[in-house]
Amino acid sequence: MNQTIPRGIHVAIIMDGNGRWATGRGQLRTAGHIAGARTVRRIVETAPGCGIGTLTLYAFSADNWRRPSREVALLMRLFRRYLVSEVARCVTNGVRMRIIGRRDRIPAELLRAITNAEHATRDGRKLELRIAVDYSSRDAIMRAAAKLPAGMPDGDRSRHAFARLLSSVDHGIGESRDVDLLIRTGGEQRLSDFLLWECAYAELYFTRRMWPEFAPADLSTAVEEFHARERRFGTVPEAAAG
Ligand code: FPP
């Protein structure tokens, strides 16, 4: 498996607001998810042009299993349909797809689509698209912690080793990436158990725009704002720049 990560920043998106977008139009919540899948397609196409090398999308959290079974079933079908229908386009556009999260509770048909999509797109070099399904950051951290060898010293080397463990438990990619910019649509301002470790120094960007109406121009605006921010990583500006 090719492990080289495409150049560019890591943007993670909590795609919120599908349900409200739909009910606000007198439609079923599921219509919002269907519209949301169209937004995913547009944003994935736009991402490399915005200087994004890794794009991680929060599609289904471990807590989302508690939603009504019809909604869960529709989401699983949508994910499968997306993976199947987008493979050829991803190969053409150099997009490598990876699904992160637990795999032991996912329907067999979706699992097959995941395996196929990951395999078919493995050589993509322009964008790594990570889709989080049945994902819980706290759960991943706990499973990685359980694998830590005893007696690891404090410090950066251990931190890097832990980050690798963390990505191996859930991502299966052995390549950890801190998030540079976290976007959440839909107006809420919380992390909802998404990439808690990887977001340690992420810039946060919240927008009231609902996910189905989040446009390529909104992504560009968020990335422009990110570049205008001063990132210090706990130090002073001159040292951070160095
Ligand atoms: C949260 O919004 C959204 C989800 C739980 C599902 C996200 C799914 C998609 C965007 C569909 C397609 C995804 C892929 C990867 C093809 P919500 O429905 O909870 O919104 P609400 O807060 O308005 O109820």
Side-chain angles (χ1 to χ4, degrees):
M1 184 74 63
N2 166 31
Q3 299 284 323
T4 319
I5 294 218
R7 289 161 69 93
I9 60 171
H10 182 184
V11 173
I13 308 184
I14 300 176
M15 307 182 288
D16 197 12
N18 291 345
R20 278 167 289 157
W21 179 85
T23 50
R25 280 165 179 69
Q27 297 171 6
L28 294 175
R29 292 175 52 79
T30 46
H33 295 315
I34 293 166
R38 288 195 288 271
T39 303
V40 169
R41 205 166 287 137
R42 288 192 292 270
I43 293 305
V44 169
E45 278 184 2
T46 310
C50 290
I52 297 171
T54 304
L55 178 67
T56 305
L57 302 177
Y58 204 5
F60 192 86
S61 77
D63 289 325
N64 287 154
W65 290 113
R66 294 190 295 205
R67 292 187 175 212
S69 57
R70 285 180 64 173
E71 183 170 339
V72 170
L74 175 109
L75 282 167
M76 294 298 144
R77 278 202 304 278
L78 262 185
F79 300 150
R80 182 177 166 276
R81 209 180 299 159
Y82 177 83
L83 293 175
V84 171
S85 69
E86 289 307 296
V87 162
R89 201 194 307 253
C90 285
V91 170
T92 307
N93 294 339
V95 177
R96 181 167 73 214
M97 286 202 242
R98 306 292 321 205
I99 307 311
I100 63 170
R102 284 178 61 165
R103 298 202 174 182
D104 54 321
R105 301 189 287 195
I106 284 181
E109 283 203 324
L110 175 56
L111 208 49
R112 268 196 296 279
I114 289 174
T115 312
N116 287 342
E118 289 184 334
H119 183 74
T121 62
R122 66 193 181 284
D123 292 327
R125 296 280 196 282
K126 275 213 181 118
L127 177 72
E128 173 145 310
L129 170 63
R130 299 177 179 178
I131 302 177
V133 178
D134 196 4
Y135 178 83
S136 157
S137 186
R138 289 199 294 198
D139 182 68
I141 289 169
M142 276 168 40
R143 280 183 287 130
K147 289 187 169 188
L148 259 186
M152 289 276 277
D154 286 349
D156 278 352
R157 273 189 56 203
S158 300
R159 207 150 48 196
H160 290 310
F162 183 74
R164 271 197 303 277
L165 262 180
L166 185 58
S167 48
S168 72
V169 296
D170 243 356
H171 312 179
I173 49 182
E175 184 73 63
S176 158
R177 267 214 83 178
D178 278 358
V179 172
D180 295 300
L181 169 65
L182 176 102
I183 298 172
R184 182 173 188 143
T185 61
E188 309 291 354
Q189 304 195 358
R190 51 177 173 256
L191 293 180
S192 301
D193 200 10
F194 188 43
L195 301 174
L196 302 179
W197 171 279
E198 295 85 345
C199 279
Y201 280 100
E203 295 296 325
L204 308 181
Y205 183 92
F206 300 108
T207 168
R208 298 171 81 87
R209 196 86 85 206
M210 301 291 152
W211 177 250
E213 58 195 12
F214 189 75
D218 296 317
L219 181 66
S220 306
T221 303
V223 171
E224 274 165 29
E225 180 171 323
F226 162 79
H227 285 299
R229 291 193 194 172
E230 181 180 70
R231 301 184 83 194
R232 295 195 197 170
F233 300 96
T235 181
V236 291
E238 309 79 58

